[in-house]
Amino acid sequence: MSDFDAAGWSIYVAALTLLSLVACLVLLFVAARRQVVLRADGTADETTGHVWDEDLRELNNPLPRWWMWLFIITVVFSLAYLGLYPGFGSARGLLGWTSVSQYEDERAKAAERSAPLYARLASMSHEQLAADAQAMGVGERLFVNHCATCHGSDARGSKGFPNLTDDDWLWGGTIDKIKETIAAGRQGAMPPMAAAVGSASDVRNVAHYVLSLSGSAHDNVAAQLGREKFGICAACHGVGGKGNLAVGAPNLSDKVWLHGWGEQAIVQVVTNGKTNMMPAHTGRLSNEQIDVLAAYVWQLSRPAQSVKSAKTPQ
Amino acid sequence: MTPASPAKTIWLYEKQAKIYPRSVSGRFAVLRWWMVGLTQLVFYGTPWLQWNERQAVLFDLASRRFYLGGLVLYPQDFIYLTVLLLLSAYGLFLVTAVAGRVWCGYACPQTVYTEVFMAIERWFEGDRVRRQRLDAAPWGWTKLWRKGGKHAAWIVLALWTGFTFVGYFTPIRQLWAQSFTLSFGPWEWFWVVFYGFATWGNAGFMREQVCKYMCPYARFQSAMFDHDTLLVAYDDARGEPRGPRPRNTDPRAVGLGDCIDCTLCVQVCPTGIDIRQGLQMECIGCAACADVCDGVMDKMGSPRGLVRYATQNGISGRWSTSQMLRRVARPRVLVYSAILLAIVAAFVTSLALRLPFKVDVVRDRGALARQVGDGFVENSYRLQIMNATETAQRYRIGVEAASLALAGLALASADSIEVGPAESRWMPVALRLPPEAAARAGSGAHLLEFNITAVASGESVVEKSTFVVPR
């Protein structure tokens, strides 16, 4: 489009637009009348004077005059429309309308409409929110729009994306921690540890030790050999492999495998490390929305409560 | 250089002469007033009917629910509207093939509202000649109050029509309450005023010009006409040569036909044509000319029916009514009837078999599959369940794999959901496959069926989807 940035093009387009409108009117008036030749006795016949194929003549059966007005009205409408909206070349239009301003207007109107609802919800604790059907309806819609792409519609996650319905938390499952995670996002990083652990067989042994922590199927001998090497891992994951909420180190002693299950997956993570991130939602969601969403996520992992889904308008 | 021939400029657009139809009474006029009453009773009355404490017929655009008596339709049911339009079209074809433009003459809203508006006009301004004189007269108090009164009455009726129209989309009782404080919403205002304006303009001013220049149906119905189609016809063999004669003289004795050339048939015509020139595209088949001519023939002591409903074959062959009726069962009519009947049958069957709920299955797009502890494979879905009844319903979710390879596939989430009256709900669903089955099935997408059953009625819907086993 940069070729057409020069002001000349804008004037050219505007002039062309105006010219075609004028041409429409000229065409209308020219085509609305005809010269007919009078007969010898001075009267006109009832035709338009249009003869073709030697003897076919067109009878003049005039349309009503208001029909012509319809054409004129469309031209007047176009002129008004082009003037009010950004129509003539790159002119902004008298109304100053832009698609961005319309979008923002609509957002402001939607915010205004939902303000009383959020005002009510803002006064509630997370336990109250979790028990409130309307709040959970809002929470579910927010979840579906903003979270479900990664964590799944049922919030049970998938490889690399944590399951939010179990009691296993990387950064903490209290309401405040959940809010923090949603608002500011999280950056989880594990450096490649192969060099620190040792040889390839050492890495394999550590992997089997990790499997043994959760009582998963493992090679007992390899696990015993890997136990000693796990000391390096314990710096973050803790001596018993229970994880550390402060740095987002996963608990290795449960059967939750965020980055894959089995020896091969563990060897890969130890060898190559892992960076995992959750984006921040401040700015995308209002504080009130984050409160409701956090309460929704919080109640997902509470077995006493069934997941309340709420009606959608469609 | 040849001498210039005398020339003249003609316009291809011309101001149309205003038509002042004379009022008419007779059996067809009575029939028309019955049709006016019937159609308008339906139009003005329907939105006031109640069903189960709500409006019986309501097209709720905002929440996309369409209530027709006991039926609750979703936008997904739009096919029924298509079928309804097809029914109307074939109904019109059939009626036109048999009886010509009787729809135009008796039931078309344009005719009906014009009839009502003309009655109001007559009440304020008098009949044809008085209206012509009033229009020619200079402005004065009499003209002002007659014209003003007419327009006031027209506008009230037009606004009531617009109000009723909007009442099909916004609950009319609520709209009625709002009308006292003039607190309609912006779109309601627009449509009340716009529909009212269209009624006022079309029935008050445009009248026959709508039929002549705007109505597409008027133009394509000639395709349905043949020589056995009923139309308003002038019996020229009987009427010609036309000319005045004293009452109760035998026209043949004075060398004339039955037509006394009183031109009443032209004066009553709402489209301003002379029926004695034969079938014309302007004729809307209203038979006002037949009514008025019957009255004249009675006075002249001649038999009725100089202008009458007859077929072209009937007029030229001097057929009796039963001869013309025998021609109704001709191929064109039979084909139209067969098509119409087939559509009606399909429509009724489809409505009768329609299940009162719908389900859409949407696979989660973020992740095709996930492995959970101990090698189990899970897929997640969202089920949209649309309840088309007006009571809360519980639906049970079942799943069935198409092949044995997926044996052991089971729900890993709630197996039932409650959906409120006429409500649509999304439900997240997870399916879980044991590791052995996953190994047996192999990686890729496997077909499966969701089976959703309404607990109360036992009716069920089957929706296909897939289960993905990752590599």
Side-chain angles (χ1 to χ4, degrees):
Chain A
M1 277 305 288
S2 56
D3 289 350
F4 298 98
D5 273 355
W9 283 111
S10 169
I11 296 166
Y12 173 73
V13 169
L16 215 58
T17 313
L18 206 59
L19 199 70
S20 32
L21 281 177
V22 174
C24 283
L25 286 178
V26 171
L27 180 71
L28 176 64
F29 284 106
V30 169
R33 301 182 299 175
R34 279 186 77 90
Q35 288 268 323
V36 290
V37 178
L38 293 181
R39 287 185 293 219
D41 61 356
T43 58
D45 60 6
E46 296 290 295
T47 73
T48 59
H50 184 193
V51 181
W52 71 100
D53 280 357
E54 295 173 3
D55 60 349
L56 280 179
R57 294 179 311 153
E58 185 182 20
L59 270 183
N60 183 21
N61 202 356
L63 273 174
R65 180 60 56 78
W66 55 260
W67 198 279
M68 206 165 160
W69 278 105
L70 293 183
F71 289 125
I72 295 170
I73 288 169
T74 56
V75 172
V76 172
F77 178 87
S78 329
L79 279 173
Y81 184 73
L82 286 167
L84 291 174
Y85 287 89
F88 284 115
S90 57
R92 275 156 189 257
L94 296 174
L95 289 183
W97 178 92
T98 63
S99 53
V100 173
S101 69
Q102 182 176 350
Y103 167 71
E104 275 162 6
D105 278 357
E106 280 170 19
R107 268 187 66 126
K109 268 188 205 138
E112 199 181 311
R113 256 206 320 277
S114 57
L117 169 66
Y118 282 113
R120 181 176 82 83
L121 300 183
S123 63
M124 295 161 73
S125 73
H126 63 282
E127 285 101 342
Q128 286 169 325
L129 286 173
D132 186 284
Q134 192 184 22
M136 289 304 96
V138 173
E140 187 193 54
R141 275 187 285 271
L142 288 172
F143 188 87
V144 167
N145 280 333
H146 295 275
C147 317
T149 317
C150 294
H151 292 285
S153 297
D154 57 357
R156 289 151 80 105
S158 62
K159 192 176 176 185
F161 301 105
N163 180 349
L164 305 177
T165 64
D166 59 13
D167 217 9
D168 181 45
W169 296 92
L170 288 173
W171 302 90
T174 63
I175 187 72
D176 290 332
K177 285 291 171 193
I178 295 175
K179 276 185 201 173
E180 204 178 295
T181 306
I182 296 171
R186 295 290 183 188
Q187 191 97 40
M190 164 164 164
M193 298 300 287
V197 171
S199 69
S201 65
D202 288 336
V203 172
R204 182 180 168 272
N205 293 340
V206 165
H208 277 273
Y209 178 68
V210 169
L211 283 171
S212 76
L213 287 175
S214 56
S216 304
H218 62 279
D219 178 340
N220 225 335
V221 179
Q224 285 309 315
L225 292 170
R227 182 191 194 112
E228 177 193 343
K229 295 287 183 188
F230 188 76
I232 305 160
C233 314
C236 291
H237 292 284
V239 179
K242 297 277 181 203
N244 185 348
L245 296 181
V247 295
N251 182 352
L252 304 176
S253 66
D254 56 16
K255 283 188 178 174
V256 178
W257 303 102
L258 183 56
H259 297 293
W261 172 80
E263 177 198 311
Q264 209 187 347
I266 299 172
V267 166
Q268 192 158 21
V269 171
V270 173
T271 312
N272 301 328
K274 196 85 209 173
T275 320
N276 209 15
M277 83 96 102
M278 147 118 186
H281 284 77
T282 309
R284 250 182 267 193
L285 297 173
S286 70
N287 287 338
E288 294 83 6
Q289 287 177 319
I290 288 176
D291 286 351
V292 176
L293 186 54
Y296 177 78
V297 171
W298 175 80
Q299 57 89 37
L300 285 177
S301 55
R302 292 167 60 80
Q305 300 240 338
S306 63
V307 178
K308 282 198 185 69
S309 58
K311 64 173 172 177
T312 45
Q314 184 171 310
Chain B
M1 202 174 150
T2 52
S5 342
K8 187 190 159 199
T9 302
I10 56 160
W11 281 87
L12 302 180
Y13 297 88
E14 230 167 52
K15 192 170 158 48
Q16 302 283 299
K18 186 172 172 183
I19 294 172
Y20 297 88
R22 191 189 176 100
S23 82
V24 64
S25 55
R27 49 199 172 129
F28 299 118
V30 169
L31 183 60
R32 183 163 33 258
W33 275 107
W34 271 101
M35 288 304 289
V36 169
L38 196 69
T39 52
Q40 294 321 290
L41 188 70
V42 171
F43 175 72
Y44 290 116
T46 303
W48 294 96
L49 298 177
Q50 294 288 100
W51 181 284
N52 284 347
E53 292 172 20
R54 62 154 169 83
Q55 192 167 321
V57 176
L58 180 68
F59 309 117
D60 188 347
L61 294 178
S63 56
R64 300 170 196 89
R65 297 286 183 279
F66 309 96
Y67 301 94
L68 282 170
L71 273 182
V72 181
L73 297 175
Y74 277 69
Q76 283 86 341
D77 292 314
F78 242 65
I79 186 73
Y80 291 117
L81 182 66
T82 316
V83 179
L84 208 63
L85 292 176
L86 273 176
L87 272 181
S88 312
Y90 274 100
L92 276 177
F93 292 175
L94 179 62
V95 168
T96 305
V98 174
R101 295 180 66 177
V102 289
W103 162 263
C104 303
Y106 295 88
C108 174
Q110 179 61 24
T111 296
V112 164
Y113 289 109
T114 302
E115 195 73 18
V116 176
F117 270 50
M118 284 202 301
I120 294 172
E121 188 170 61
R122 261 200 310 278
W123 198 80
F124 280 98
E125 298 183 3
D127 205 2
R128 175 180 158 91
V129 181
R130 291 184 59 188
R131 290 208 300 278
Q132 283 170 323
R133 276 199 210 122
L134 186 71
D135 276 1
W139 281 96
W141 281 115
T142 321
K143 187 167 177 175
L144 200 65
W145 93 255
R146 285 185 188 279
K147 292 265 174 195
K150 174 183 83 173
H151 280 285
W154 278 3
I155 288 169
V156 168
L157 183 63
L159 284 177
W160 183 251
T161 310
F163 168 82
T164 304
F165 175 73
V166 174
Y168 280 88
F169 300 91
T170 300
I172 199 163
R173 285 153 201 262
Q174 175 195 324
L175 204 64
W176 176 241
Q178 283 172 347
S179 67
F180 289 103
T181 51
L182 297 177
S183 54
F184 295 161
W187 282 112
E188 285 151 1
W189 268 121
F190 173 80
W191 282 106
V192 167
V193 172
F194 181 79
Y195 202 88
F197 174 77
T199 306
W200 177 74
N202 285 336
F205 299 91
M206 304 297 284
R207 294 187 179 173
E208 83 289 347
Q209 301 201 19
V210 172
C211 314
K212 279 161 71 178
Y213 301 108
M214 290 156 77
C215 178
Y217 175 61
R219 287 301 170 94
F220 74 68
Q221 62 191 339
S222 55
M224 273 83 78
F225 269 58
D226 56 29
H227 287 212
D228 291 308
T229 298
L230 213 57
L231 42 91
V232 179
Y234 167 68
D235 191 343
D236 48 2
R238 201 189 120 188
E240 299 297 323
R242 62 186 82 152
R245 58 186 156 94
R247 222 177 255 210
N248 292 327
T249 44
D250 179 10
R252 313 288 170 239
V254 287
L256 289 171
D258 277 343
C259 175
I260 60 164
D261 204 13
C262 62
T263 73
L264 275 178
C265 56
V266 180
Q267 295 177 35
V268 297
C269 181
T271 65
I273 59 168
D274 184 346
I275 195 66
R276 294 170 300 175
Q277 290 169 6
L279 175 64
Q280 289 147 78
M281 74 93 180
E282 289 92 343
C283 176
I284 58 168
C286 70
C289 47
D291 266 343
V292 80
C293 191
D294 281 350
V296 173
M297 289 298 111
D298 286 353
K299 277 186 205 140
M300 298 306 295
S302 299
R304 289 181 164 199
L306 179 57
V307 180
R308 63 176 185 271
Y309 277 116
T311 69
Q312 222 163 316
N313 278 339
I315 287 282
S316 55
R318 317 200 66 78
W319 289 0
S320 67
T321 312
S322 62
Q323 273 176 308
M324 286 191 283
L325 274 179
R326 239 170 276 147
R327 282 299 186 97
V328 167
R330 58 190 189 275
R332 173 193 294 271
V333 175
L334 296 179
V335 169
Y336 286 159
S337 311
I339 295 175
L340 190 64
L341 218 66
I343 301 175
V344 170
F347 191 42
V348 171
T349 316
S350 157
L351 268 183
L353 295 179
R354 175 179 176 268
L355 287 178
F357 70 106
K358 299 174 191 304
V359 179
D360 277 338
V361 175
V362 182
R363 283 190 55 92
D364 258 20
R365 278 172 282 191
L368 289 177
R370 60 174 172 246
Q371 260 176 320
V372 291
D374 294 339
F376 279 80
V377 177
E378 281 187 4
N379 279 196
S380 54
Y381 309 80
R382 282 171 78 78
L383 265 49
Q384 188 183 27
I385 302 179
M386 291 162 264
N387 180 1
T389 68
E390 293 187 79
T391 47
Q393 297 279 345
R394 179 157 285 281
Y395 299 99
R396 188 166 295 117
I397 320 296
V399 65
E400 226 170 278
S403 80
L404 278 175
L406 288 190
L409 185 71
L411 276 178
S413 54
D415 68 348
S416 74
I417 185 173
E418 174 130 340
V419 183
E423 200 179 79
S424 165
R425 273 180 77 165
W426 283 102
M427 178 195 192
V429 168
L431 296 183
R432 179 180 295 177
L433 189 67
E436 346 40 278
R440 201 164 53 230
S443 66
H446 304 280
L447 290 177
L448 60 85
E449 281 174 351
F450 281 101
N451 203 323
I452 298 93
T453 310
V455 173
S457 66
E459 291 164 318
S460 66
V461 164
V462 173
E463 279 289 318
K464 287 187 177 129
S465 190
T466 55
F467 187 92
V468 171
V469 177
R471 267 181 291 196

